[in-house]
Amino acid sequence: MLSHQKNLTVKLADSPTEIEAAQRLRYSVFVKEMGADASAQNHVRGIEQDKFDTYFDHLLLIDTSIADPETNVVGVYRLVSDEMARAANGFYSSGEYDLAAIEAGGRRSVELGRSCIAKSYRGGIALQMLWDGLADYVRSRRIEVLFGVASFHGTDPAPLAQALSFLHHNHLAPAELRATALPDCGVDMDIIAPDRIDRLAAVGQLPQLIKSYLRLGGFVGQGAYVDHNFNTLDVFIVMDTTRLAEKYAKRYSRDHAK
């Protein structure tokens, strides 16, 4: 167990039942709510899964007041270290972005993915608890770089021009941390000139998760990626743990010895 508060517990999945419960939550959010594709078999089982699940860690937020182990997972992050990625033949986001700059740095890294929270738990402490669990995970493994894709709903960049341009002009990652969208489905985020960006409108278009990453000191990659399978427009997020906002950096470096 990584952390506990009231009826909510954060832990790493340690059984097939817990992993499947995470996949059920992902199906509810990504397939039913956001319109992502799923195979006929996965529709029947009510899960969202892929070939990476076997190799990756699954950080779970569990509501212990729900007795059914198939439905008590209410939040999830899928995590893969650089070591795990080698066993899985790469990172998930390498299918959307060229990660050469990050991989060349040789720093210990973890990819964050498949992040979701059940609708009725959003806006409360759920995300903070997941991040506290993530902080423990990162600290114990001495991770230096966190990265992954975060999504806008829908695949048309035009309505999101303000937000995408704002990210590009104000939060572009430094060269040594900058991933670049692959050309097959990559789109430019430099749509509107800096002096024509409506900051209020741009920030209003940002999903809450992306806003939270920016507050942590996160950067974005070069270009966005149209993910037709998930009905999303993805942006690459990267965080250097040495540059995290001070109030959160303490969570990653604190000494938990008892």
Side-chain angles (χ1 to χ4, degrees):
M1 183 185 300
L2 296 174
S3 63
H4 178 80
Q5 191 170 137
K6 295 182 179 178
N7 60 309
L8 296 176
T9 294
V10 177
K11 67 184 294 289
L12 289 175
D14 57 15
S15 71
T17 298
E18 288 185 337
I19 293 175
E20 184 165 326
Q23 294 167 337
R24 289 183 186 281
L25 175 62
R26 283 160 40 182
Y27 181 87
S28 175
V29 174
F30 296 128
V31 180
K32 295 179 69 176
E33 188 176 333
M34 299 180 64
D37 286 341
S39 68
Q41 181 182 13
N42 285 350
H43 277 303
V44 170
R45 296 178 61 193
I47 65 173
E48 190 279 312
Q49 67 172 342
D50 65 20
K51 65 180 182 179
F52 293 97
D53 280 337
T54 302
Y55 299 97
F56 294 1
D57 281 336
H58 302 262
L59 184 67
L60 310 179
L61 178 66
I62 296 175
D63 187 338
T64 56
S65 69
I66 300 174
D68 184 357
E70 293 187 353
T71 60
N72 66 1
V73 173
V74 298
V76 65
Y77 254 114
R78 192 172 71 175
L79 311 173
V80 56
S81 67
D82 44 5
E83 295 168 345
M84 292 178 189
R86 285 191 285 272
N89 293 318
F91 292 103
Y92 173 84
S93 56
S94 64
E96 299 186 4
Y97 282 84
D98 181 348
L99 307 179
I102 293 175
E103 293 177 329
R107 303 173 69 192
R108 294 182 64 85
S109 61
V110 160
E111 179 184 52
L112 315 178
R114 291 300 198 272
S115 171
C116 61
I117 294 173
K119 186 177 292 187
S120 60
Y121 292 81
R122 297 171 196 167
I125 63 170
L127 182 58
Q128 186 60 61
M129 287 196 67
L130 277 173
W131 278 358
D132 285 346
L134 179 61
D136 287 339
Y137 184 95
V138 166
R139 177 200 57 80
S140 66
R141 291 158 177 79
R142 299 184 179 180
I143 301 301
E144 300 173 88
V145 178
L146 308 176
F147 67 89
V149 297
S151 304
F152 292 87
H153 187 56
T155 58
D156 184 1
L160 301 170
Q162 289 284 348
L164 296 175
S165 300
F166 170 79
L167 291 173
H168 174 82
H169 291 297
N170 294 280
H171 297 282
L172 189 64
E176 68 272 14
L177 293 174
R178 190 181 306 163
T180 303
L182 298 178
D184 59 337
C185 293
V187 295
D188 195 356
M189 294 203 300
D190 184 5
I191 304 170
I192 299 174
D195 60 352
R196 294 181 53 228
I197 295 174
D198 181 336
R199 183 183 178 89
L200 187 61
V203 173
Q205 289 183 330
L206 295 177
Q208 186 58 49
L209 185 60
I210 293 179
K211 290 180 185 178
S212 298
Y213 284 143
L214 297 181
R215 284 195 292 269
L216 284 171
F219 299 102
V220 300
Q222 183 79 40
Y225 189 89
V226 180
D227 187 341
H228 294 286
N229 289 333
F230 269 78
N231 191 32
T232 59
L233 189 67
D234 297 342
V235 294
F236 188 86
I237 301 289
V238 60
M239 294 176 284
D240 184 336
T241 59
T242 65
R243 303 183 187 190
L244 291 176
E246 183 177 354
K247 64 179 179 178
Y248 288 103
K250 292 177 181 178
R251 299 178 186 273
Y252 290 83
S253 60
R254 66 189 180 217
D255 183 2
H256 287 256
K258 294 182 180 179

